[in-house]
Amino acid sequence: MSSARLHGWGGGPGVRADVVAIDDEAQLAALLADTDPDRELICRGMGRSYGDAAQRDGGLVLDLRRCRRTALDPARGTVRAGAGATLDQLLGELAPAGWLLPVVPGTQHVTVGGAIACDIHGKNHGAVGSFGSHVRALGLLTAAGESLELSREDGAELLDATIGGLGLTGVITWAEIALMPAPSGVELSVDVVRVHDLDAAFAALDAPGGPYRVAWLDLLGPGLTRGVVTRAEPAPHEPGPPDRGPRATRRSRRPGPRPVTVAAKARVPSWWPAGALRPATVRAHNALRFHAAPRRARGRREGFGAHMFPLDVLREWPRLYGPAGFVQYQCVVPRGAERALQRLLERLRASSVPCYLAVLKDFGPESSAPLSFPMQGWTLALDMPRAAPGLTALLAAFDTIVAEAGGRVYLAKDARLDATMLAAMYPRLPEWRAVRDRIDPERRWVSDLARRTGLVAR
Ligand SMILES: Cc1cc2nc3c(=O)[nH]c(=O)nc-3n(C[C@H](O)[C@H](O)[C@H](O)COP(=O)(O)OP(=O)(O)OC[C@H]3O[C@@H](n4cnc5c(N)ncnc54)[C@H](O)[C@@H]3O)c2cc1C
């Protein structure tokens, strides 16, 4: 056990907690039995949630990253993975065998436990739903030290409370995940279209085309919101020239498959000066990015990893924001409430808060998990410096707009929502709490997020 300072991906001062690295379930069960029942516990994976979901000030944090054993079952099209297995590890193992994870988020550096506990979504939510929908079964170690196996057939209610349950029902120890066949490799065929306002972005995200859809928006440009929408799908296999054996020249050999993950190309140093990221710099970068995109293009071939995880090429990129860090505000509003997002962006423009990254996506129907974030509609994610004057009031105004529209904020990204807003945005909260309180009556699982939002009452 060691004492460490922990914070979310958004940075900031963080909190101090004791951290224990877990090797296996036997160690975990012994630790639970030996720990003072009043000590508050929470799991942590790769710490890629942006706020305070994976930390507890003064508590005991269980680091699951060493529990990363995997076993592919090609006959059933599933993989059984330890909770600490990361998605880049899994993609690297599965792709050569002709399989793909059905859901990946915008970074490859997340664990299976974190993916389930936040019920993460990918760019293809409209087509395949969220990560939890592909979990056939999982192992849960409860606060009482009981080892459960949950599936749709046996323990569906607790399974649903654990999917999106932010680690507050117990420790996810392993999961069996249904896979997608990827027989032709994992290259993507990408359609690109530039848009000059928000309505055009909605329309382009709704247009026919591939299932992986996303709009990057430039909110610092002149006039209205503009952006670039991509719709991608697995590319048909393109056979290379025949392999003429070991004596063939390099050029005549069949090209190898494009990597399904991405390698980091650079790292932001720890001495990066505060305030170096400025609206003028990002404005210029955005203008270049917008004009570099084709007005309209079809069938551009891109590697899966490069398309899905563009931010992973720059290690420690949150350091660009300086020591105060940044906040990501990600919300969803139902279809028909597009005007709410328009209002939200108008409020942002009228404020002095700069938004350095903005992403819009469409979501398909919601899942059966009561705390799961996605709902049929539109999700908008905005990255803003935490130190920006007026940010607190602006985000409170966003909350009101989103809640009035029947939408909600994504807890995996959240660092500031309060209990009243949480209850307004997650109407199935009482149902989730009832299941949680039954499985952990002494409330041993507590994170800073759970305390702040009242997810777990005192
Ligand atoms: C660049 C970037 C892009 C992203 N893009 C997306 C996106 O497109 N879609 C999306 O949905 N999310 C996205 N995210 C958020 C990320 O996918 C989630 O926050 C994910 O949960 C992080 O996994 P982790 O292993 O880092 O978990 P952590 O951040 O360490 O923990 C997250 C939560 O999971 C719980 N947890 C972790 N392990 C376990 C376990 N074994 N048992 C029980 N509970 C556990 C923790 O207690 C905590 O509540 C993005 C994050 C980044 C940094």
Side-chain angles (χ1 to χ4, degrees):
M1 185 179 315
S2 62
S3 170
R5 188 153 276 285
L6 300 176
H7 54 68
W9 191 241
V15 296
R16 195 153 271 290
D18 289 329
V19 180
V20 187
I22 303 297
D23 288 305
D24 53 39
E25 197 167 326
Q27 178 205 356
L28 196 54
L31 182 80
L32 279 181
D34 289 349
T35 304
D36 176 352
D38 290 336
R39 191 95 206 263
E40 292 171 336
L41 312 161
I42 195 68
C43 285
R44 188 173 176 96
M46 292 291 283
R48 260 28 181 217
S49 46
Y50 282 55
D52 47 5
Q55 66 192 44
R56 178 63 189 137
D57 197 357
L60 186 56
V61 173
L62 312 178
D63 177 348
L64 271 289
R65 283 175 300 174
R66 290 188 192 161
C67 305
R68 59 203 317 261
R69 220 178 285 162
T70 63
L72 172 67
D73 183 341
R76 299 180 62 222
T78 58
V79 66
R80 182 178 159 125
T86 54
L87 300 199
D88 62 332
Q89 174 196 341
L90 277 168
L91 288 169
E93 291 170 5
L94 297 172
W99 298 98
L100 204 54
L101 290 167
V103 175
V104 296
T107 174
Q108 60 197 345
H109 302 299
V110 310
T111 61
V112 165
I116 296 171
C118 291
D119 194 20
I120 62 167
H121 56 269
K123 296 177 174 64
N124 57 347
H125 186 274
V128 304
S130 52
F131 197 91
S133 320
H134 304 274
V135 172
R136 292 264 176 89
L138 60 78
L140 187 76
L141 196 75
T142 69
E146 211 184 338
S147 178
L148 304 177
E149 179 167 337
L150 306 175
S151 66
R152 290 276 147 225
E153 295 71 42
D154 193 5
E157 191 182 43
L158 185 53
L159 177 67
D160 269 347
T162 300
I163 293 172
L166 297 151
L168 300 168
T169 58
V171 183
I172 299 162
T173 48
W174 57 269
E176 186 185 299
I177 305 156
L179 302 170
M180 232 163 66
S184 65
V186 279
E187 244 190 352
L188 294 174
S189 165
V190 185
D191 294 347
V192 185
V193 53
R194 268 201 237 162
V195 293
H196 292 85
D197 61 48
L198 195 60
D199 284 341
F202 289 133
L205 285 170
D206 258 350
Y212 296 102
R213 292 154 177 258
V214 64
W216 164 78
L217 302 178
D218 174 14
L219 302 182
L220 295 172
L224 291 166
T225 300
R226 61 183 178 180
V228 179
V229 177
T230 53
R231 296 181 298 258
E233 61 192 329
H237 186 53
E238 250 180 23
D243 192 337
R244 302 205 187 94
R247 290 174 57 195
T249 63
R250 283 186 85 191
R251 291 190 68 202
S252 69
R253 275 203 203 115
R254 197 187 294 277
R258 292 231 218 165
V260 69
T261 54
V262 283
K265 297 202 171 91
R267 173 193 291 266
V268 181
S270 57
W271 45 262
W272 185 264
L277 195 65
R278 291 201 184 90
T281 327
V282 182
R283 187 172 295 122
H285 167 267
N286 283 0
L288 272 176
R289 181 171 173 179
F290 179 76
H291 291 291
R295 274 177 214 285
R296 195 170 275 278
R298 288 188 64 99
R300 281 205 327 200
R301 288 179 89 92
E302 286 180 27
F304 183 86
H307 188 79
M308 298 297 175
F309 317 122
L311 291 169
D312 287 346
V313 298
L314 187 58
R315 242 182 238 173
E316 311 285 359
W317 61 262
R319 285 180 180 162
L320 293 172
Y321 285 85
F326 72 107
V327 170
Q328 182 176 102
Y329 188 87
Q330 183 172 358
C331 62
V332 58
V333 297
R335 270 189 185 253
E338 292 77 11
R339 177 82 191 109
L341 294 188
Q342 194 78 261
R343 277 179 56 211
L344 198 141
L345 292 183
E346 283 161 13
R347 280 302 278 260
L348 177 66
R349 271 190 187 275
S351 79
S352 59
V353 175
C355 173
Y356 292 144
L357 184 65
V359 173
L360 178 71
K361 289 192 271 218
D362 63 314
F363 274 164
E366 62 188 34
S367 81
S368 53
L371 277 197
S372 179
F373 166 66
M375 64 163 72
Q376 183 123 38
W378 305 101
T379 180
L380 178 68
L382 306 168
D383 287 10
M384 294 154 287
R386 197 189 306 265
L391 183 69
T392 307
L394 180 71
L395 299 188
F398 285 2
D399 286 346
T400 307
I401 294 172
V402 170
E404 280 175 4
R408 53 195 173 224
V409 159
Y410 189 13
L411 297 174
K413 308 289 182 74
D414 176 58
R416 27 122 353 246
L417 205 68
D418 65 22
T420 312
M421 272 301 165
L422 178 82
M425 291 176 174
Y426 285 85
R428 295 180 64 197
L429 188 56
E431 183 190 329
W432 176 82
R433 273 206 186 109
V435 180
R436 203 213 89 89
D437 285 353
R438 267 203 308 277
I439 196 70
D440 179 19
E442 289 173 351
R443 299 181 180 164
R444 294 187 82 182
W445 305 112
V446 181
S447 62
D448 287 342
L449 176 141
R451 270 290 180 259
R452 171 170 57 77
T453 59
L455 262 176
V456 178
R458 269 177 211 284

